[in-house]
Every structure is written in structure tokens, then in C-alpha cells.
Amino acid sequence: MARKLVDSNTENVAKKLATVKAVGWVLQILAHQVFEGRAPALLDNLLQAIVLAPYFVLLEVLFYFGYRPDLQAKFKELTNKKRLQWKQEKERKEAAELRK
């Protein structure tokens, strides 16, 4: 697919890449809704998502190759705590809605 994008005339390459990026964002939003039940950070703060997302991906790749497993463990622990807090808050809100 990448070869096809590059081999086509250069005027259309930017349009095609922008389309691929937009489709990727739409799929990300849908996947977050289906699998996590919430919107991705992209919708909370666009600037933060655009600036921090590349660092997140970089760290994930580095961790995959064994970079600082202690740091990875700490991040996972903090993430799990935040996720649990979010889930408990969501359940509290849902319970409050049911009582109304």
C-alpha cells in the first residue's frame, strides 16, 4: 500500500495520506468506544493527544525491546490504578443515574 501511495503522482500523495490518517482516527475512536466503553484522549484534548501520542508510541516500542522494565512496571501500576479509579467513578455515576 505504501508503495502504491508513493508511486502515484506527488500531488495526490498528501491527500491520500491525510485520508489514511483521518480514517485511522475514526477507527481509533470507534475501537475505544467498543472495547473500552469511552472516548479516546484524542477527543478530550486534541493538542495533548497530538503532542504526547508520539511519545507514548515511542515508549511502547522501547518497552517492547526491553528498555527500562522497572519504568514500564511503574507505568503499568499507575495506569492500572487510574483505570480502576475511572471504572469506580463510572460505576458510581451509573448507580446515581439509576436511583434518579
Side-chain angles (χ1 to χ4, degrees):
M1 182 173 162
R3 172 62 99 185
K4 209 173 201 182
L5 284 172
V6 174
D7 284 345
S8 64
N9 68 39
T10 56
E11 293 174 6
N12 290 328
V13 171
K15 289 179 186 176
K16 289 178 182 178
L17 291 176
T19 301
V20 168
K21 184 69 170 177
V23 169
W25 276 353
V26 169
L27 291 175
Q28 178 188 20
I29 292 166
L30 292 174
H32 272 79
Q33 285 297 115
V34 170
F35 296 110
E36 293 183 10
R38 65 184 211 137
L42 171 70
L43 298 180
D44 294 339
N45 185 334
L46 184 61
L47 181 61
Q48 182 182 13
I50 290 172
V51 172
L52 293 180
Y55 290 111
F56 173 80
V57 172
L58 175 63
L59 274 175
E60 287 294 318
V61 169
L62 290 173
F63 288 153
Y64 178 80
F65 288 108
Y67 174 75
R68 305 241 350 237
D70 56 320
L71 182 62
Q72 182 183 22
K74 187 173 184 175
F75 281 167
K76 281 186 179 184
E77 178 184 339
L78 290 171
T79 302
N80 288 337
K81 283 181 184 177
K82 288 287 187 182
R83 188 175 288 143
L84 180 60
Q85 289 172 353
W86 171 80
K87 185 176 180 181
Q88 290 170 343
E89 181 64 26
K90 181 180 175 185
E91 289 171 354
R92 270 189 242 123
K93 286 180 182 178
E94 288 174 352
E97 287 294 320
L98 289 175
R99 283 181 268 175
K100 289 183 178 180

